């Protein structure tokens, strides 16, 4: 089937286009966009509700500047967008209130707290591998998608792990559903589900988890309204499930297709943290979160007017050849790697320490327990590319059968 050229896509980039199930093609489109100008324009922004489309920042330098300049490039959506939100969300607030939310949430993601979770994350990963390790074949997407959800729900958020599959499905439909109606329906379903989980907790005894933290937090001397507690819990669910799962799924698939790289990580396990950073740069980052122009400002030769929407494309920035040597190659031992995969500035990812740990342990356990795994010759891996977060939904693999763990 014929498809649009990279140049045609670059003129009006629409991430929902099925052509972008070809990962290399999407990055070829970004190359064209980056070469033409620091900012492309799209009538089809994935997440922004601004009428008239949005600008798309595709070069590293401008993305970085936007992320640092929250006074001109606000995370608060336009009034139309704000009406659709239920409550104050940390990701759609600006300082100083945003920083007060961060102060409440940050301790839950501290490096020390994350380190203490290592044995539990390893055991949860092992349990998922146990489901198929004796068969000598399985689907690694199951590990990539379930492990971050189980870890986050059980050890941080305080929701039942039985809810993980439903929340994954609702989050996925909310982002990628075929129609606006399906997407809005899924947002509503997710909101209601989390609302019920939060309200069930308002009467019970205190627990040391994030739902409790949100319920008892005081900002400027006042408790958060219930709508804010639910909305922020919902943001954490979306942010915690889909991003890490997609990034990890990409790594599992990449190593199945590159056995020499897989063997190198097995022989040199100290490389794993650097490899994880490279996977996040190369494929695991987000393809656009909006900012709204709050005051006239010039950047990269472009004047922006108040009310305009600008998408920061972290993934395109992460392939900018002005910043990364061999930008289109996955270099597992890359040394200089100041990628924007987790963002930058005041909204820099709250869960980056958790994501890194889940990802590193996921990789280590898979490589330790099925070191010779490769793609199954009789089944296709399924990649989903027409979304802000992109990854594999199925990675059928074969390997020499192993033993169940003691987990
Ligand atoms: C590989 C995995 C992940 C990637 C690539 C990623 C990426 C990002 C990016 C690019 C931002 C900045 C958004 C902006 O500039 O507006 C962000 C913010 C955020 N992330 Fe992550 N993230 C990941 C994992 C997680 C996890 C596991 C959690 C929590 C469980 C999380 C929670 C958040 C939250 C709450 C924010 C908003 C912070 C704020 O507005 O101050 N993320 N993430």
């Amino acid at each position: 089937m014929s498809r649009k050229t990279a140049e045609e896509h670059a003129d009006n980039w629409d991430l929902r286009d099925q052509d972008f199930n070809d990962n290399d093609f999407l990055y070829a489109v970004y190359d064209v966009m980056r070469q033409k100008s620091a900012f492309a324009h799209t009538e089809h922004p994935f997440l922004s509700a601004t009428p008239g489309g949005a600008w798309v920042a595709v070069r590293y330098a401008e993305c970085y500047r936007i992320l640092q300049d929250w006074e001109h490039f606000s995370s608060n959506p336009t009034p139309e967008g704000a009406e659709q939100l239920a409550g104050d969300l940390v990701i759609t607030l600006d300082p100083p209130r945003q920083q007060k939310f961060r102060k409440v949430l940050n301790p839950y993601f501290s490096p020390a707290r994350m380190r203490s979770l290592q044995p539990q994350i390893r055991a949860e990963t092992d349990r998922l591998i146990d489901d198929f390790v004796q068969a000598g074949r399985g689907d690694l997407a199951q590990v990539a998608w379930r492990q971050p959800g189980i870890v986050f729900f059980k050890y941080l958020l305080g929701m039942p792990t039985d809810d993980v599959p439903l929340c994954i499905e609702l989050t996925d439909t909310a982002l990628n559903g075929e129609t606006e109606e399906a997407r809005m329906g899924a947002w509503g379903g997710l909101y209601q589900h989390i609302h019920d989980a939060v309200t069930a907790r308002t009467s019970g005894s205190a627990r040391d988890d994030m739902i409790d933290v949100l319920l008892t937090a005081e900002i400027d001397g006042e408790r958060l309204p219930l709508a804010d507690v639910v909305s922020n819990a919902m943001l954490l669910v979306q942010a915690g499930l889909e991003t890490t799962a997609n990034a990890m799924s990409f790594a599992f698939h990449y190593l199945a297709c590159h056995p020499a790289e897989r063997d190198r990580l097995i022989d040199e396990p100290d490389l794993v943290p650097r490899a994880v950073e490279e996977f996040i740069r190369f494929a695991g980052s987000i393809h656009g979160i909006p900012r709204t122009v709050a005051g006239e400002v010039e950047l990269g030769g472009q004047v922006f007017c108040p009310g305009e929407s600008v998408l920061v494309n972290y993934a395109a920035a992460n392939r900018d050849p002005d910043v990364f040597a061999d930008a289109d190659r996955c270099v597992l031992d890359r040394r200089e790697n100041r990628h924007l995969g987790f963002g930058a500035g005041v909204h820099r990812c709250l869960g980056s320490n958790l994501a890194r740990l889940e990802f590193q342990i996921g990789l280590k356990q898979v490589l330790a327990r099925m070191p010779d795994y490769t793609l199954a010759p009789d089944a296709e891996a399924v990649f989903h590319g027409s979304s802000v977060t992109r990854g594999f939904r199925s990675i059928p693999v074969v390997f020499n059968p192993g033993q169940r763990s003691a987990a």
Side-chain angles (χ1 to χ4, degrees):
M1 202 168 64
S2 73
R3 63 181 180 194
K4 283 197 260 177
T5 64
E7 284 70 21
E8 285 165 331
H9 274 297
D11 285 341
N12 195 3
W13 172 69
D14 177 3
L15 196 50
R16 293 195 192 276
D17 197 299
Q18 295 302 309
D19 285 356
F20 297 139
N21 285 318
D22 177 343
N23 194 40
D24 291 342
F25 183 64
L26 175 61
Y27 283 99
V29 171
Y30 289 161
D31 278 344
V32 176
M33 288 161 84
R34 233 187 280 106
Q35 279 162 24
K36 280 189 170 172
S37 153
F39 299 97
H41 195 269
T42 175
E43 286 161 24
H44 307 287
F46 198 95
L47 289 176
S48 166
T50 317
W55 297 101
V56 193
V58 282
R59 293 183 187 159
Y60 186 101
E62 282 76 16
C63 285
Y64 187 78
R65 293 265 305 275
I66 292 170
L67 295 173
Q68 298 295 342
D69 183 4
W70 58 266
E71 281 167 307
H72 287 105
F73 295 99
S74 163
S75 288
N76 253 326
T78 57
E80 302 87 61
E83 273 169 27
Q84 291 170 15
L85 295 170
D88 266 356
L89 276 178
V90 63
I91 202 165
T92 53
L93 286 171
D94 292 325
R97 192 163 169 78
Q98 180 261 357
Q99 288 293 293
K100 293 176 185 170
F101 268 78
R102 288 289 294 232
K103 227 172 165 177
V104 168
L105 297 171
N106 276 343
Y108 269 74
F109 291 94
S110 69
R113 197 179 171 104
M114 294 302 108
R115 269 195 302 277
S116 73
L117 282 178
Q118 279 188 38
Q120 288 93 324
I121 300 180
R122 196 171 306 121
E124 298 297 347
T125 312
D126 275 340
R127 268 194 275 278
L128 290 166
I129 297 174
D130 282 349
D131 285 347
F132 56 84
V133 73
Q134 288 171 308
R137 63 180 299 141
D139 186 348
L140 278 182
Q142 292 295 321
V143 179
W145 279 84
R146 291 191 174 213
Q147 182 248 43
I150 291 172
V151 168
F152 185 56
F153 275 37
K154 193 163 165 184
Y155 301 105
L156 282 104
L157 188 62
M159 282 196 29
T161 50
D162 286 351
D163 287 2
V164 169
L166 175 69
C167 288
I168 289 176
E169 193 189 317
L170 287 172
T171 306
D172 191 33
T173 311
L175 281 176
N176 305 312
E178 297 231 325
T179 60
E180 183 66 21
E181 201 184 355
R183 296 195 283 270
M184 292 315 289
W187 283 126
L190 189 61
Y191 185 88
Q192 193 57 49
H193 189 78
I194 292 172
H195 178 273
D196 294 349
V198 170
T199 43
R201 292 283 299 280
T202 45
S203 52
S205 52
R207 290 196 242 158
D208 182 24
D209 61 36
M210 297 199 71
I211 290 189
D212 249 25
V213 166
L214 287 165
L215 281 168
T216 53
E218 285 193 5
I219 293 184
D220 294 332
E222 284 183 25
R223 289 265 174 105
L224 296 178
L226 185 66
D228 288 13
V229 174
V230 176
S231 298
N232 282 283
M234 187 165 151
L235 166 70
L236 287 163
V237 167
Q238 293 160 48
L241 297 190
E242 187 120 350
T243 46
T244 319
N246 278 313
M248 216 189 304
S249 77
F250 183 90
F252 288 154
H253 182 267
Y254 180 87
L255 295 174
C257 301
H258 297 81
E261 298 281 78
R262 180 201 63 199
D263 293 348
R264 184 172 177 209
L265 279 189
I266 294 170
D267 292 343
E268 299 175 57
D270 289 353
L271 269 188
V272 167
R274 246 193 273 161
V276 161
E277 293 312 307
E278 179 65 347
F279 282 128
I280 289 169
R281 178 195 77 84
F282 189 69
S285 49
I286 297 174
H287 291 244
I289 291 190
R291 295 291 189 270
T292 302
V293 179
E296 190 176 300
V297 60
E298 188 269 327
L299 182 60
Q302 171 91 27
V303 176
F304 294 96
C305 300
E308 286 185 314
S309 183
V310 187
L311 302 183
V312 180
N313 192 327
Y314 314 83
N318 280 342
R319 295 283 191 101
D320 188 334
D322 285 350
V323 178
F324 301 99
D326 253 343
D328 282 325
R329 218 162 58 77
C330 184
V331 182
L332 293 186
D333 59 354
R334 190 179 285 278
R335 282 179 185 275
E336 285 287 305
N337 199 351
R338 295 167 61 81
H339 67 74
L340 294 182
F342 289 123
V346 292
H347 288 278
R348 195 180 178 286
C349 180
L350 177 71
S352 59
N353 293 326
L354 176 63
R356 284 180 170 128
L357 199 63
E358 290 171 342
F359 200 155
Q360 289 173 17
I361 293 175
L363 267 187
K364 280 187 184 159
Q365 295 314 98
V366 164
L367 293 175
R369 299 189 58 198
M370 46 186 89
D372 59 340
Y373 86 87
T374 55
L375 289 182
D378 55 350
E380 288 276 309
V382 179
F383 182 68
H384 179 249
S386 50
S387 178
V388 269
T389 56
R390 313 165 71 249
F392 285 86
R393 301 303 167 86
S394 175
I395 315 169
V397 293
V398 288
F399 51 89
N400 265 321
Q403 296 302 312
R404 288 174 64 84
S405 71

